[in-house]
């Protein structure tokens, strides 16, 4: 059985994952409007992945007999400077999500809620992968550059990252 504190924190994480999904969907729309087809596809695919993160938490809360709640989700930013700005913001956002997951892990340990602590390990691993994914994209952007053909190559590379 979850404590009210854990229910509240897990529900906050559901909200953050849904917000993440909307952020990436808005980024996908911006990329699409700039003809960045590969990045648009990749970000839309990632938006779907974020929803699956939210649903996994939602199911866990419900399975314990608690009430999963969907709160208000803020509108994401919809304008960006360039492709580097987009992926810089994805990386920054993932660092924020990691921090939130680590706070949840801390709370589970403090509460001696070992079932939730165990459940959250999946998210700890996932955040490591997500930080690496977006850091690698930023490195690629720096190496290839975004002038002329560089931008075309970067966009194609990003599109090819879809699993
Ligand atoms: Fe669900 Fe990208 O964190």
């Amino acid at each position: 059985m979850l404590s009210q504190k854990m229910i509240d924190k897990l529900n906050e994480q559901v909200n953050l994952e849904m917000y993440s999904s909307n952020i990436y969907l808005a980024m996908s729309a911006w990329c699409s409007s700039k003809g960045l087809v590969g990045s648009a596809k990749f970000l839309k695919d990632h938006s779907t992945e974020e929803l699956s993160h939210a649903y996994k938490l939602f199911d866990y809360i419900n399975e314990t007999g608690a009430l999963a709640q969907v709160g208000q989700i803020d509108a994401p930013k919809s304008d960006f400077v360039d492709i580097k700005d987009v992926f810089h913001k994805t990386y920054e956002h993932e660092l924020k999500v990691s921090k939130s997951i680590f706070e949840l892990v801390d709370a589970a340990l403090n509460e001696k809620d070992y079932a939730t602590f165990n459940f959250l390990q999946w998210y700890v691993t996932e955040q490591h992968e997500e930080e690496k994914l977006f850091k690698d994209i930023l490195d690629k952007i720096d190496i290839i550059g975004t002038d002329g053909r560089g931008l075309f190559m970067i966009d194609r590379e990003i599109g090819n990252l879809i699993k």
Side-chain angles (χ1 to χ4, degrees):
M1 196 179 140
L2 295 173
S3 69
Q4 191 56 49
K5 184 179 171 188
M6 287 311 297
I7 294 169
D8 292 345
K9 286 192 85 61
L10 287 164
N11 273 324
E12 278 171 24
Q13 192 66 32
V14 170
N15 197 283
L16 182 57
E17 301 289 350
M18 294 186 101
Y19 178 56
S20 304
S21 175
N22 287 350
I23 285 179
Y24 296 139
L25 198 58
M27 287 174 168
S28 171
W30 184 86
C31 288
S32 191
S33 77
K34 302 292 178 194
L36 300 166
V37 181
S39 303
K41 268 167 81 172
F42 169 81
L43 287 160
K44 190 170 173 206
D45 182 77
H46 207 81
S47 168
T48 307
E49 196 174 317
E50 294 298 344
L51 275 184
S52 76
H53 297 173
Y55 294 158
K56 200 175 169 76
L57 283 152
F58 179 88
D59 288 343
Y60 178 75
I61 298 165
N62 282 331
E63 279 163 19
T64 64
L67 182 68
Q69 285 182 310
V70 182
Q72 185 174 343
I73 300 165
D74 292 337
K77 192 174 158 46
S78 60
D79 198 23
F80 304 92
V81 178
D82 53 22
I83 194 166
K84 188 166 179 180
D85 182 38
V86 168
F87 284 98
H88 182 70
K89 286 189 167 67
T90 61
Y91 181 61
E92 294 276 302
H93 182 71
E94 288 305 330
L95 293 180
K96 186 176 150 190
V97 175
S98 293
K99 189 165 176 275
S100 176
I101 291 291
F102 298 155
E103 282 171 11
L104 258 175
V105 171
D106 271 350
L109 264 185
N110 286 337
E111 300 256 323
K112 296 191 172 23
D113 181 347
Y114 300 117
T116 302
F117 175 82
N118 189 46
F119 166 76
L120 289 170
Q121 297 313 301
W122 183 89
Y123 287 86
V124 172
T125 305
E126 181 67 14
Q127 280 313 119
H128 173 73
E129 286 172 11
E130 300 240 309
E131 283 182 29
K132 182 179 182 316
L133 174 69
F134 290 112
K135 180 74 173 64
D136 284 352
I137 291 175
L138 277 177
D139 287 346
K140 274 198 176 82
I141 291 173
D142 280 342
I143 291 165
I144 301 175
T146 56
D147 290 342
R149 282 176 54 173
L151 183 58
F152 175 78
M153 281 172 67
I154 280 288
D155 186 54
R156 195 178 55 190
E157 287 274 321
I158 294 170
N160 287 339
L161 289 172
I162 298 172
K163 291 171 208 161

